[in-house]
Structures are given as structure tokens and as C-alpha cells.
Amino acid sequence: MGSKFDPNVHVGERHGMLTILAFDHYNASRNSFYLCHCDCCVEKVVSYSLMMSGRAVSCGCYRRTRNLMDPNIHIGETYNRLTIIAFSHRGGKRNEVYYKCKCICGNERTARYTDLRSGAAKSCGCYLHDKLTKHGMTNTRIYYTYRNMLNRCYNSHIKEFVWYGARGIRICDEWLDPDIGFINFYNWAMSHGYTDELTIDRIDNDGNYEPSNCRWVTRKEQLHNRRNNVYVAYLLNKKSNPPYLVYDYSEWAKITGVSSNMLRGRVINRREKTINGIIEECYRIGHHIPDDQPLEMEINNSMIKHNHIDKFSRSIHD
């Protein structure tokens, strides 16, 4: 169909034996019609969509004279992946011309000339096969990971889109390429430790999916890198480097031996207690250490003795 706003953009185009001279009119369905000049010197108004599809190639003279034309004049012409190498036969109700063609993959087939011109015949069949089978990994876990990543960033109809695409999270051009994007992603994954037990994780939660910002981690590790995680800081000696030990609730629960819900509840309702005091109290409960016994906590493979700090330490998200 021609352009709605400037139908004259197609003036001068050539389709078969027709050359477009001027825009003529739109019909009720908004199909554009053009005044065309045929090679036989006849002018005729023709639908632009018919010319684009190859169904209108002349004023009508081609159909009347094609049976008189030498079918060998098209030998050597190339359409998509097919090159005409020899005349085959005439057939069908309209006595149309069929040609023997060679595909770029080396196979040969017979195709009707009108199908070659319109694009209905593109190859020996390898084009469709290549289009549907690019890598042979459609049913693998890593391909599902890749497709889910695309959907989170670009499919506004899924609920996860609000946390990714709506926030401006995008995928790098290398992985987004429609032809080799998955292959690039697969090669990166294999060279960076991918296994079926791992999930893809963005190091910077506000960054894009790209090689420099992605890694493969376990599901448990990924939970520690969520955007809504709350982190709690345990204050060490000011001379320590760093002066804080910062973990989220799940990690502190693992260290203290109590549930994360219990720890979260005590922090939220701490009143006058310090974060240090709550963590030490939970550590005693989780490891069954009496109150009158000196406390030494093992955190990150280091022993931390009972720290009497009166200064109020707090969550970095408070």
C-alpha cells in the first residue's frame, strides 16, 4: 500500500514492465492506485499492492504475449536464494512458465516464474529450515533463560516487566541481535561458568543485561542481591576496616542460628536496644549460650568477642 501522507513517493518506481507516472486515487479500502506507463507504450491505472505482490507486471500485454516469448531469456536471473539455470516446462491453467533453479545451498528445484518474482519461492526449502532452526537449542534451559530475559525487558504483558523493562533495564546489542544474539549469549555463558543449577544475576540491580554486569550464581546467592533487601550493620571497633559488618536478614539468621523472621521482628521492635545487642542476643539463643558466659561470635570465619558498645548502631536502611 502506498503512503497515506505522501503518495507521490512511489513515482518513478518500476515494477515489471510498468513505470509509475503519478498518483491517481485511493479506493474505499485506502488502497492506492497509480497511473503507470507500460513498456508497450500503453498507460493504465494500477493498484500499488498488486504491483508490489507481482500480480500486476504490465498493462495486460505480458499475459497476451508471454506464450510467444522465449522462456530462456530469464536464465541466469537470481531471486532470493534461487538462480534460474534452465527452462523446465509450461503448465497449469494459464500455461505458465516453470524453471529449473539452483539454490545457494547446492540443491535444485523447479519453480514457477511468477512465484520467483513475487517471493513465494525463495529457496529449495532451506530458508524456512534456517529461519526456524538457528541453533538447535530451543528446548534447553539456557535458551529458556535467554527468552525469559528478553520477556522481562521488552514484553509489557507479563507481570515481571514492571521490575525490569518499565525501570529502563535493557539488553545489550550483542545479545539482542535477532540473528546471532542467542549464540553470543550462549558463548558468554559457557565461558563464564554456566551450569543448569545457576541463574543469571545482574551485579548492579539498576544496570542492564550485558557481559560486564552479569554473572552466574545460585538461587540462594541471587536472593542476597535483590533490590528490596534490607541490610543490617553490626558495629565493630572504629579502628576496624571496615568498621561495620553488613548482611541482610537471611545471612544474619544463618550466622546467629535463629529464623530471619525472629531477627527481623526484634530489630523492628528494638526500642532502646542497639543492633549489636539484638544480634548478640539472637546469637546466644541460636547457639544456646547462657547469659553469664562470655560471648564469642564466629562471623565470616573470624571470632568476635562480646562488644560493649553504648553508641546506638542501626540498619543502614533505617
Side-chain angles (χ1 to χ4, degrees):
M1 181 183 292
S3 171
K4 290 183 179 180
F5 305 103
D6 187 8
N8 293 313
V9 296
H10 301 301
V11 172
E13 291 182 4
R14 185 170 176 82
H15 300 271
M17 299 171 65
L18 297 172
T19 302
I20 297 177
L21 298 178
F23 172 73
D24 192 80
H25 69 281
Y26 286 119
N27 67 3
S29 301
R30 296 294 292 176
N31 291 319
S32 52
F33 285 76
Y34 288 87
L35 177 65
C36 301
H37 178 81
C38 184
D39 289 349
C40 68
C41 297
V42 173
E43 293 185 356
K44 182 179 181 180
V45 175
V46 185
S47 166
Y48 186 69
S49 60
L50 291 180
M51 288 188 284
M52 284 294 292
S53 66
R55 288 180 289 172
V57 296
S58 70
C59 65
C61 63
Y62 174 75
R63 181 178 296 178
R64 293 191 298 270
T65 62
R66 65 183 174 185
N67 289 338
L68 303 176
M69 295 172 60
D70 181 6
N72 293 314
I73 62 174
H74 298 299
I75 292 176
E77 294 179 2
T78 298
Y79 298 90
N80 294 294
R81 296 187 176 189
L82 296 172
T83 299
I84 298 175
I85 58 175
F87 168 70
S88 176
H89 65 279
R90 293 180 182 272
K93 294 181 179 179
R94 298 180 180 179
N95 198 32
E96 294 184 275
V97 179
Y98 287 75
Y99 286 98
K100 185 177 181 181
C101 305
K102 187 170 185 177
C103 184
I104 60 173
C105 69
N107 292 330
E108 295 183 358
R109 66 163 290 187
T110 300
R112 188 169 54 183
Y113 184 64
T114 53
D115 289 342
L116 293 171
R117 288 183 56 85
S118 67
K122 292 183 171 65
S123 69
C124 65
C126 63
Y127 173 77
L128 182 60
H129 181 270
D130 292 347
K131 185 176 180 181
L132 297 178
T133 309
K134 293 183 178 180
H135 43 70
M137 291 182 281
T138 303
N139 295 322
T140 60
R141 184 179 180 275
I142 190 170
Y143 185 72
Y144 290 146
T145 299
Y146 177 75
R147 292 302 307 175
N148 288 337
M149 179 176 67
L150 292 177
N151 285 330
R152 288 194 295 268
C153 294
Y154 300 104
N155 186 355
S156 60
H157 299 291
I158 65 171
K159 62 181 182 180
E160 292 86 357
F161 179 79
V162 68
W163 303 111
Y164 294 87
R167 289 176 51 222
I169 306 300
R170 295 294 181 262
I171 299 174
C172 66
D173 294 339
E174 181 183 356
W175 293 352
L176 200 59
D177 188 287
D179 295 320
I180 60 173
F182 173 71
I183 299 301
N184 292 334
F185 175 77
Y186 176 83
N187 292 335
W188 169 84
M190 292 299 106
S191 63
H192 286 75
Y194 170 82
T195 67
D196 285 346
E197 292 74 33
L198 301 179
T199 61
I200 192 167
D201 179 54
R202 284 172 296 118
I203 300 170
D204 176 7
N205 273 314
D206 295 321
N208 294 329
Y209 282 103
E210 53 191 357
S212 61
N213 192 44
C214 291
R215 60 185 176 181
W216 295 103
V217 298
T218 63
R219 292 187 182 277
K220 186 174 183 180
E221 289 172 323
Q222 191 175 45
L223 290 175
H224 299 324
N225 194 30
R226 294 176 60 182
R227 202 166 54 91
N228 59 350
N229 276 2
V230 175
Y231 293 87
V232 175
Y234 182 89
L235 181 62
L236 300 171
N237 191 307
K238 289 185 177 180
K239 296 181 180 180
S240 302
N241 186 23
Y244 288 93
L245 287 177
V246 182
Y247 298 105
D248 61 11
Y249 282 122
S250 61
E251 278 297 305
W252 277 119
K254 181 179 176 182
I255 293 168
T256 59
V258 300
S259 69
S260 58
N261 288 335
M262 177 180 177
L263 182 61
R264 184 183 295 107
R266 288 181 178 244
V267 170
I268 293 173
N269 301 304
R270 61 181 176 270
R271 297 182 181 178
E272 298 301 322
K273 291 183 179 180
T274 64
I275 296 294
N276 280 40
I278 293 172
I279 291 175
E280 291 165 0
E281 181 182 21
C282 290
Y283 194 93
R284 287 184 180 276
I285 295 173
H287 293 81
H288 309 289
I289 301 174
D291 292 340
D292 57 353
Q293 181 178 331
L295 178 64
E296 290 185 350
M297 296 192 299
E298 184 178 355
I299 302 177
N300 198 19
N301 297 323
S302 299
M303 296 302 298
I304 299 177
K305 295 186 177 181
H306 191 285
N307 199 354
H308 293 285
I309 298 177
D310 295 326
K311 187 175 181 180
F312 191 77
S313 63
R314 55 206 292 268
S315 167
I316 63 175
H317 281 267
D318 285 351

